[in-house]
Amino acid sequence: MYAVTNPATGELIEQIENATEEEVGAAIGRVHRGYDSWRRRTVADRAKIVSRAAELFAERAGELAAIMTLEMGKRINEGRGEIGIVVDIFNYYADNGPDLLADEPMTIKGGEAVITKGPIGPLLGVMPWNFPIYQVARFVAPNLVLGNTILLKHASICPRSAVAIESVLRDAGVPDDVYVNTFASSSQIPAILADPRIQGVSLTGSEQAGISVAAEAGRNLKKTVLELGGSDPLIVLDTDDLDETVKATATARMRNCGQSCNAPKRMIVLADLYDEFVDRLTKRVADFYLPGDPADPETKLPPLASIAAADEVAGQVEKAVEQGATLRTGGRRVGPGAYLEATVLTDVTPEMDAYYEEIFGPVVIVFRAETEEQAIAIANDSPFGLGASVFGTDRERSSRVARQIEAGMVYLNSAGGSQADLPFGGIKRSGMGRELGPAGIEEFMNKKSIRL
Ligand SMILES: O=CCCCC(=O)O
């Protein structure tokens, strides 16, 4: 069942039945039929439609943000910000697609060759609720320009976002059978992946969802992109403005109520700054991030996406404290909606679950490192490898540290966030493949070698 439940109040607004097997089969048939004519259109033609989609997303930013606020509790201003990135992504691939897809001539032993860059066919997208429109955009925009067609299964708590995205694309000129939303259930995904008409799958979601989809995709030899969890480290080497550093790091962690795969979830602070950093961060988190209505632009701490999500994160915090962590502030569930007080934990050790698991909510863990080397070791002591950040005043030192971190992305003096032209993705249990930037259009591409 798909359902819209307001996480700020717990009120159930709408329920939508899952698609039947026949409906899912018909949806696969549509994206399969649509592929032949879509791939034959010129790149310029497809790019023009994608560019029009960017305009429509911008025009509808207010209504799209309101849908996200209702469905998963995103602060209304953050929703508008999300649409800003969505517009950038559609524009980036519309503007750069033709160059990124140009033939690549090669001189090879004994002659010449050319690499042509074409689509591979209908793809399945399985997308999460934390950035309901952005997550879809970074999969869909490059693949539409490339010439693939898309069957999209959105999170069960975001049916209105799913419908709104389909309607923007339709109104922009994407043909009916080129982008199709399906209200399939998770249990129908294996059958979709087993269907010979589907050529690949992109999933953004939990580690567990990644394992299930990768297993089915592997069984069926389907190309896979996985963007999974993260427990990104943020190392503070030194600073000439501690308040600014504290503000920047807290802002990055609390963005989207802490529900970003690439939020800095583990702050690792060098010993000489640690005590002062923890005191100021605790004060900032306790005083600034007060729960409120996500539809009110003044609100700083919205609910989590669902009551279940809030209970889960509260449970992780409780367990950490039972296991010996120090609770500096927060940690309590606040009702009646899906609220959890903004939380700071310290003294988390490798014996505690919180040390290695991802905490997907407004919870900061701060670690103390005696040396730069120990900071790097703590950063890398994680099953995840999505993003990381290094804060410091000496760029050479920060770059040296960045190069030693096991992650797909490292940001100097900033944290979290993403941008259309910069590849995004992780290593280790954070997934495989890249989205955004030039790399994002290559994942489901047939780089065909033609020996001339
Ligand atoms: O949850 C992962 C997507 C993060 C998007 C962003 O930080 O811009």
Side-chain angles (χ1 to χ4, degrees), residues 233-239 242 245-246 249 266-278 281 346 364-372 374-376 378 391:
L234 183 154
I235 296 177
V236 183
L237 296 170
D238 61 41
T239 176
L242 186 58
T245 302
V246 164
T249 55
R266 297 178 294 141
M267 313 286 178
I268 304 162
V269 184
L270 285 199
D272 56 337
L273 281 178
Y274 176 84
D275 289 333
E276 196 57 31
F277 182 93
V278 170
L281 178 73
T346 58
V364 198
I365 303 181
V366 193
F367 296 89
R368 175 191 178 106
E370 298 305 323
T371 61
E372 183 181 305
Q374 193 191 6
I376 296 166
I378 296 171
F391 277 64

Side-chain angles (χ1 to χ4, degrees), residues 85 128 130-131 134-135 138 204 227-228 255-256 259-263 360 386 416-419 424 436:
I85 309 177
N130 65 337
F131 291 88
Y134 158 90
Q135 304 280 17
R138 64 186 186 174
T204 297
E227 208 269 85
L228 309 177
R255 179 168 164 255
N256 209 33
Q259 304 165 111
S260 305
C261 50
N262 60 337
F360 214 59
L386 187 56
S418 61
Q419 61 184 72
F424 187 110
L436 301 177

Side-chain angles (χ1 to χ4, degrees), residues 130-148:
N130 65 337
F131 291 88
I133 314 224
Y134 158 90
Q135 304 280 17
V136 174
R138 64 186 186 174
F139 166 55
V140 165
N143 282 298
L144 286 181
V145 174
L146 177 56
N148 291 316

Side-chain angles (χ1 to χ4, degrees), residues 192-228:
I192 301 175
L193 290 172
D195 192 298
R197 294 169 291 185
I198 296 292
Q199 299 301 324
V201 56
S202 178
L203 173 131
T204 297
S206 67
E207 202 184 334
Q208 201 44 53
I211 291 169
S212 310
V213 164
E216 290 304 327
R219 212 187 310 284
N220 293 286
L221 296 178
K222 302 287 165 75
K223 171 77 201 255
T224 309
V225 168
L226 299 175
E227 208 269 85
L228 309 177

Side-chain angles (χ1 to χ4, degrees), residues 99-181:
D99 283 346
L100 294 170
L101 300 182
D103 288 355
E104 199 177 304
M106 289 179 75
T107 300
I108 56 170
K109 192 173 172 188
E112 304 289 323
V114 64
I115 310 293
T116 63
K117 297 175 182 177
I120 61 169
L123 307 174
L124 172 66
V126 182
M127 293 296 150
W129 47 258
N130 65 337
F131 291 88
I133 314 224
Y134 158 90
Q135 304 280 17
V136 174
R138 64 186 186 174
F139 166 55
V140 165
N143 282 298
L144 286 181
V145 174
L146 177 56
N148 291 316
T149 58
I150 287 155
L151 180 63
L152 202 292
K153 187 231 169 290
H154 216 312
S156 61
I157 66 169
C158 294
R160 291 193 183 174
S161 295
V163 168
I165 294 166
E166 190 177 42
S167 111
V168 166
L169 296 175
R170 203 66 78 241
D171 294 348
V174 175
D176 280 8
D177 293 341
V178 165
Y179 180 92
V180 176
N181 179 68

